[in-house]
Amino acid sequence: MAARPAGGHLTMATSWHRSGIAAPASPSRLRAEEGSRRLVWIAQIFYFIFLMMVFIGQQPFASRTQDELVAMAQENDGSDLFKQALFIGFAILLTGVQIIRKHPLRYRFSFWPLAIMLVWFFITCTWGVDPFVSFKRAMQQLIVIYITFCALSLIGPQRLFDALRWALITSLIICWISLPLTPAAVHPATESDKALIGAWRGFFFHKNIAGAVMALCFIVCGNSWIDRRKWYYALFALMAFVFVIGTKSKTSLALCVGMLAISNIYRALSDNTQKRAILLLMLGFGMVGFLGLYIAYQPTIERLFADPTSFTGRVSIWRVALDYLADHPYLGAGFGGFWQVGIHSPAHDYLNQQFQMLTAHSHDGYLEIWVTTGPVGLIMLLISFLALPAYWFLTGATRENQSLMVPAFAIWVFVMYQNLLETSFFDKDRQVWVIFLAAVATAHATFKARPRPIWSRRHLPQAESVNG
């Protein structure tokens, strides 16, 4: 507000106004980025290879006899030296590229709630029944997360998501080629779980993993076709959808169609924050409604889900974790320290059916984090992967960045809902978890880079004198 000096004249005033987005990068910075293009390509190739190694695993088309399942469950302690060396090698390679880079970082890590949550996970390892096993599993998470965000800092969100898209498409093509070439691409008649027989799995270990990855491929390719109108993206989306049907994965099939529709509603609302808020609230109420239906129809749902041949006996598995939480409500069993930690696994004291001896997780991502890291871990999970991404997607979407934010939003919603019936949060190096990390990293970097108006001072013209 202008001051009135003696004599009644108004002095020159200044006013704050929006002047649009920040100035473009300087020529020297552009030259530096141009000169470092080779390193960026190298980092992107490293990340693509890492994704393919995660998707394919060490034993594609592995058989699944009852004896092999028992052996795998007993050895599931994070002691795979080859995998440890592989992941550490990728981390070292990306770190080396980071050291010799000549361009500014495309992303600076500021997702501190995730870092704090990892610190808490390491703390919980100290009271696990086998702290060394818990520590190895937590270290595996640290390395996977480090690789994701290190690659992001080098290549940026667009290239990171491009690598993810082509890794999904490559996996889709390999899975389709494998169907006529090997009987191992379909669950055999020797399965102990008869519901699996005849379900497609491609090179994946289980049809539910194949179903989830192919559903995410369908979502990503479907959105790519909408954004770019390239015919081959429509073809890949169709191939992925048919493969999901072949897996007989009910959860993934139901979610993939819904998520493609929801993501396009989100796309249409990219310029309207209020309507996006309504959409996010509706999705939140959907998750709460799922819990409400379970409480309201608990006896009926438990009879349906507790059957090991139906939905993998999930309710009886949930009961194991909930019974443990009733006796240990505050700290949890330690990260990765509830299921399959040897003969002293805390879950063994609460098993209610024989098939649970082979269970490796709680078949509910939220419950798994709760039973292993306590209510503190669950709250951190909800803040890091529910509340904060919801804010990014609410306020960070624009017409310019929707080709990244829309598919990342669809993956985020898919995994948030999928974890009501499966466990993918911090699930070692499992495919869905790594895809989810890439989507969250992409969304955070895109949110941080969105154009923001800046404020600068503008001089107003001198006002006419006022003589009382």
Side-chain angles (χ1 to χ4, degrees):
M1 183 174 179
R4 185 191 298 270
H9 295 279
L10 288 176
T11 61
M12 181 75 72
T14 60
S15 175
W16 292 97
H17 69 282
R18 290 187 175 186
S19 60
I21 61 174
S26 64
S28 60
R29 180 178 177 182
L30 292 175
R31 286 194 299 271
E33 291 187 357
E34 180 69 20
S36 66
R37 183 175 298 176
R38 181 176 300 175
L39 285 179
V40 171
W41 273 104
I42 291 173
Q44 189 174 19
I45 291 171
F46 282 166
Y47 185 66
F48 173 82
I49 296 172
F50 165 74
L51 288 174
M52 291 307 304
M53 292 298 295
V54 166
F55 290 173
I56 296 175
Q58 296 168 236
Q59 296 178 314
F61 311 110
S63 59
R64 291 166 39 93
T65 65
Q66 185 69 16
D67 292 339
E68 287 167 334
L69 286 173
V70 172
M72 291 180 64
Q74 292 173 344
E75 296 170 2
N76 185 26
D77 63 353
S79 298
D80 190 326
L81 295 178
F82 177 80
K83 184 182 292 185
Q84 291 175 358
L86 182 69
F87 286 0
I88 292 172
F90 274 111
I92 292 173
L93 285 172
L94 288 172
T95 303
V97 176
Q98 186 84 279
I99 291 172
I100 63 176
R101 65 178 174 82
K102 298 179 181 179
H103 61 84
L105 288 174
R106 285 165 167 76
Y107 170 84
R108 291 186 181 276
F109 185 84
S110 58
F111 192 8
W112 298 115
L114 175 59
I116 294 170
M117 184 162 49
L118 283 172
V119 171
W120 173 250
F121 287 173
F122 277 101
I123 292 173
T124 66
C125 293
T126 59
W127 57 74
V129 294
D130 191 334
F132 187 50
V133 170
S134 295
F135 177 77
K136 286 188 291 185
R137 291 173 175 173
M139 277 300 299
Q140 196 173 34
Q141 288 306 309
L142 177 63
I143 294 171
V144 169
I145 292 170
Y146 174 80
I147 289 172
T148 302
F149 281 90
C150 185
L152 176 65
S153 69
L154 287 165
I155 65 180
Q158 183 65 62
R159 288 182 178 271
L160 188 87
F161 205 82
D162 287 345
L164 173 63
R165 180 190 300 110
W166 285 108
L168 288 169
I169 291 172
T170 304
S171 299
L172 170 69
I173 294 172
I174 295 173
C175 283
W176 269 104
I177 292 174
S178 70
L179 283 177
L181 294 182
T182 172
V186 178
H187 279 286
T190 56
E191 289 285 1
S192 57
D193 184 353
K194 301 306 179 185
L196 297 178
I197 297 174
W200 297 359
R201 61 171 180 150
F203 59 72
F204 296 99
F205 181 73
H206 192 281
K207 61 101 173 175
N208 284 344
I209 299 173
V213 174
M214 293 299 103
L216 292 171
C217 182
F218 167 74
I219 291 169
V220 170
C221 290
N223 277 294
S224 294
W225 177 76
I226 293 170
D227 283 324
R228 305 184 183 190
R229 297 296 175 178
K230 301 290 187 181
W231 64 267
Y232 47 83
Y233 286 127
L235 175 62
F236 292 143
L238 178 61
M239 291 169 61
F241 183 71
V242 174
F243 204 94
V244 174
I245 295 174
T247 65
K248 302 180 184 179
S249 181
K250 296 178 284 291
T251 303
S252 296
L253 181 60
L255 285 175
C256 70
V257 178
M259 292 309 105
L260 185 61
I262 288 171
S263 64
N264 280 285
I265 295 173
Y266 178 80
R267 180 196 308 276
L269 301 178
S270 59
D271 287 335
N272 193 314
T273 303
Q274 291 180 335
K275 291 181 179 178
R276 284 202 306 269
I278 295 173
L279 175 62
L280 288 166
L281 286 173
M282 290 175 64
L283 293 172
F285 286 139
M287 297 182 68
V288 174
F290 178 90
L291 179 61
L293 286 174
Y294 170 68
I295 295 173
Y297 298 97
Q298 185 173 357
T300 302
I301 293 174
E302 290 194 357
R303 282 195 301 271
L304 174 64
F305 280 68
D307 181 359
T309 64
S310 177
F311 295 95
T312 324
R314 281 174 174 80
V315 168
S316 67
I317 295 172
W318 297 342
R319 179 54 56 192
V320 174
L322 291 172
D323 288 346
Y324 177 85
L325 285 169
D327 295 336
H328 308 81
Y330 302 114
L331 295 177
F335 180 78
F338 186 68
W339 303 95
Q340 305 302 339
V341 199
I343 60 174
H344 300 298
S345 297
H348 287 178
D349 296 331
Y350 297 88
L351 300 182
N352 51 64
Q353 294 192 45
Q354 181 62 32
F355 80 93
Q356 294 166 355
M357 290 295 295
L358 301 177
T359 301
H361 54 78
S362 301
H363 280 280
D364 184 299
Y366 306 95
L367 184 58
E368 178 73 12
I369 294 299
W370 188 7
V371 77
T372 55
T373 64
V376 174
L378 178 62
I379 291 171
M380 289 181 176
L381 174 76
L382 295 177
I383 292 174
S384 298
F385 290 144
L386 187 69
L388 286 177
Y391 177 71
W392 307 338
F393 290 120
L394 175 65
T395 62
T398 65
R399 293 287 183 187
E400 291 73 25
N401 66 23
Q402 65 181 12
S403 64
L404 287 176
M405 290 296 273
V406 172
F409 173 79
I411 293 173
W412 174 69
V413 177
F414 179 98
V415 176
M416 299 304 292
Y417 269 84
Q418 189 223 24
N419 271 275
L420 295 170
L421 294 173
E422 297 287 350
T423 297
S424 55
F425 293 138
F426 297 96
D427 187 19
K428 299 178 280 296
D429 59 327
R430 295 298 172 85
Q431 296 88 343
V432 174
W433 167 238
V434 174
I435 295 169
F436 178 72
L437 269 179
V440 169
T442 297
H444 190 221
T446 306
F447 166 78
K448 289 177 64 177
R450 74 194 190 282
R452 294 182 178 88
I454 60 174
W455 295 93
S456 60
R457 280 198 304 187
R458 177 183 65 188
H459 290 284
L460 296 178
Q462 185 171 359
E464 295 181 357
S465 60
V466 179
N467 294 315

